[in-house]
Amino acid sequence: MRVLGVDYGERRIGLAVSDPSATLARPLRTLRPGGSLPSRVAAVAAEAQALAADADGLAAVVVGLPRSLDGTPHEQTARVLAFVDRLRAAIDVPVSLQDERLTSVEAESRLAAREKSWRKRSERLDAAAAAVILQDHLDEHRAPSGPSPSPSPSDRVTAPSGRRR
């Protein structure tokens, strides 16, 4: 099942989606719902419901939680928490939070490597930031692949002279 990533902003909301195995995130689109908090919640809820109706389904929604670089909350943190509370009431899948510090900077540098035009990059920045948020979440919550086997004596590195180290 897929996971939806959200980079919430007052003017733009970036969306990203995972592959069905919830391993890789990719930018989806940028919404410009404007208006009030209920209209922004409705726009994201509609996207979540559309993904839930898809054959691959929707397992969860991950929303980026903004904080200051030192980890303390700031004015946008409260806005995101209000958005998340309303979104949780509007959809039937779990909604979790993911630290989003420096995700826009990382998204901008990734986009700049491929696109020289700042205007074109800015159109895709919010969705790219949502993909960074979502990928961070997927990486942190990936199921462990099990214990790694201990190396056998034959796996040890040998020195060029043929002696074992």
Side-chain angles (χ1 to χ4, degrees), residues 41-94:
V41 170
V44 174
E47 293 287 335
Q49 290 165 347
L51 285 169
D54 186 84
D56 293 319
L58 182 66
V61 175
V62 177
V63 179
L65 182 64
R67 294 186 178 269
S68 299
L69 285 178
D70 66 1
T72 59
H74 56 67
E75 63 191 45
Q76 186 64 10
T77 307
R79 291 182 187 126
V80 169
L81 292 174
F83 168 78
V84 166
D85 284 344
R86 291 206 179 196
L87 185 61
R88 284 180 174 144
I91 61 176
D92 293 328
V93 297

Side-chain angles (χ1 to χ4, degrees), residues 156-165:
R156 292 195 185 117
V157 178
T158 58
S161 65
R163 291 182 287 163
R164 292 184 187 264
R165 288 195 241 180

Side-chain angles (χ1 to χ4, degrees), residues 4-128:
L4 178 66
V6 179
D7 181 30
Y8 177 78
E10 299 291 310
R11 286 179 264 166
R12 292 179 311 276
I13 301 172
L15 300 177
V17 67
S18 74
D19 63 332
S21 68
T23 304
L24 297 173
R26 68 173 175 80
L28 184 61
R29 69 179 51 83
T30 299
L31 303 176
R32 289 175 175 72
S36 64
L37 177 60
S39 66
R40 293 188 292 271
V41 170
V44 174
E47 293 287 335
Q49 290 165 347
L51 285 169
D54 186 84
D56 293 319
L58 182 66
V61 175
V62 177
V63 179
L65 182 64
R67 294 186 178 269
S68 299
L69 285 178
D70 66 1
T72 59
H74 56 67
E75 63 191 45
Q76 186 64 10
T77 307
R79 291 182 187 126
V80 169
L81 292 174
F83 168 78
V84 166
D85 284 344
R86 291 206 179 196
L87 185 61
R88 284 180 174 144
I91 61 176
D92 293 328
V93 297
V95 178
S96 60
L97 296 165
Q98 176 68 36
D99 184 352
E100 71 166 30
R101 282 178 282 177
L102 300 176
T103 56
S104 292
V105 173
E106 184 176 342
E108 169 66 21
S109 68
R110 288 181 183 186
L111 287 172
R114 285 183 257 136
E115 179 60 59
K116 299 302 175 203
S117 167
W118 179 85
R119 227 178 264 282
K120 289 181 182 177
R121 284 195 318 265
S122 67
E123 292 171 6
R124 300 183 352 209
L125 181 60
D126 297 291

